[in-house]
Amino acid sequence: MRNVYLKNNLKVIIRKATEDDAQNMIEFYNVVGGESDFLSFGANEFKRDLEEYKNYITATSKESNSIILIAEIDSTIIGIATINSPQNERTKHVGTLGIVVSEAYTGIGLGKGLMNELLEWARLNNITKKINLVTNENNVKAIELYRKLGFEKEGLLKNDNFFKGTYHNTVVMGLLL
């Protein structure tokens, strides 16, 4: 799709995922799940059948209101960003955003770069009018980025996550395009 340069001058390729990426994506999710308390899954909890996940990527690529982006350096995945949208008429204008960045690449502009790619794509697809996302209320840096990009807090899901022996709240945010 395009090259993005991070704050440390690293060149990152951001492109659409293909079914050939499925195994590497599953492996990436299982690693980063152990790097952050802010994801909905932990280390090795991203349990997906390879063929099923390939089919998911292929099906998503055919939807004009959904997208899966991969950020990579030297063919190694360092981030994945998605907007998934329903296909029914009543809600196909609403996309749910998800973003995961490898811990080694946080704080240097990768998250913002991926977010900008998703938002630009959503504004140009002529279908998406609203984007929703959820995040842990303690994910302060991400919430700050989302606010800078125009997202507003729309709600709070109390005790929605449980990790490290404690319940945590989830912030629901939305952006009208």
Side-chain angles (χ1 to χ4, degrees), residues 5-173:
Y5 289 87
L6 304 180
K7 292 177 184 175
N8 62 0
N9 292 321
L10 272 177
K11 181 175 96 170
V12 175
I13 296 170
I14 298 177
R15 64 174 178 80
K16 290 183 181 178
T18 69
E19 72 173 33
D20 293 337
D21 296 309
Q23 183 63 47
N24 289 336
M25 291 172 70
I26 292 168
E27 290 171 8
F28 171 80
Y29 280 133
N30 279 310
V31 169
V32 296
E35 295 177 346
S36 173
D37 290 335
F38 300 135
L39 299 176
S40 60
F41 53 89
N44 299 312
E45 288 184 350
F46 193 79
K47 306 285 186 208
R48 297 293 187 276
D49 174 78
L50 180 59
E51 289 305 312
E52 179 185 309
Y53 203 64
K54 284 181 179 181
N55 292 338
Y56 162 74
I57 293 168
T58 299
T60 301
S61 71
K62 294 176 182 174
E63 297 173 359
S64 52
N65 60 344
S66 297
I67 190 168
I68 303 170
L69 296 178
I70 290 179
E72 60 186 5
I73 296 176
D74 299 327
S75 300
T76 299
I77 297 174
I78 62 168
I80 300 175
T82 62
I83 292 180
N84 289 297
S85 303
Q87 299 307 297
N88 57 318
E89 285 300 315
R90 291 183 182 194
T91 57
K92 72 180 184 179
H93 66 285
V94 180
T96 300
L97 184 147
I99 185 167
V100 180
V101 173
S102 175
E103 185 177 48
Y105 296 93
T106 59
I108 53 174
L110 180 57
K112 184 177 182 182
L114 285 167
M115 291 290 295
N116 285 331
E117 289 291 323
L118 287 177
L119 296 179
E120 179 181 344
W121 170 85
R123 288 185 175 103
L124 295 174
N125 73 18
N126 295 317
I127 299 171
T128 306
K129 305 298 178 202
K130 182 178 185 198
I131 300 173
N132 294 325
L133 64 82
V134 295
T135 191
N136 183 290
E137 72 176 347
N138 298 315
N139 196 354
V140 177
K141 287 184 180 181
I143 292 170
E144 181 180 314
L145 172 62
Y146 303 147
R147 283 197 173 125
K148 284 181 184 175
L149 294 173
F151 284 83
E152 296 178 7
K153 182 178 174 181
E154 293 186 347
L156 186 72
L157 304 174
K158 295 180 180 179
N159 290 349
D160 193 49
N161 278 288
F162 182 81
F163 56 90
K164 294 185 178 174
T166 307
Y167 289 96
H168 299 268
N169 299 332
T170 297
V171 174
V172 179
M173 300 182 81

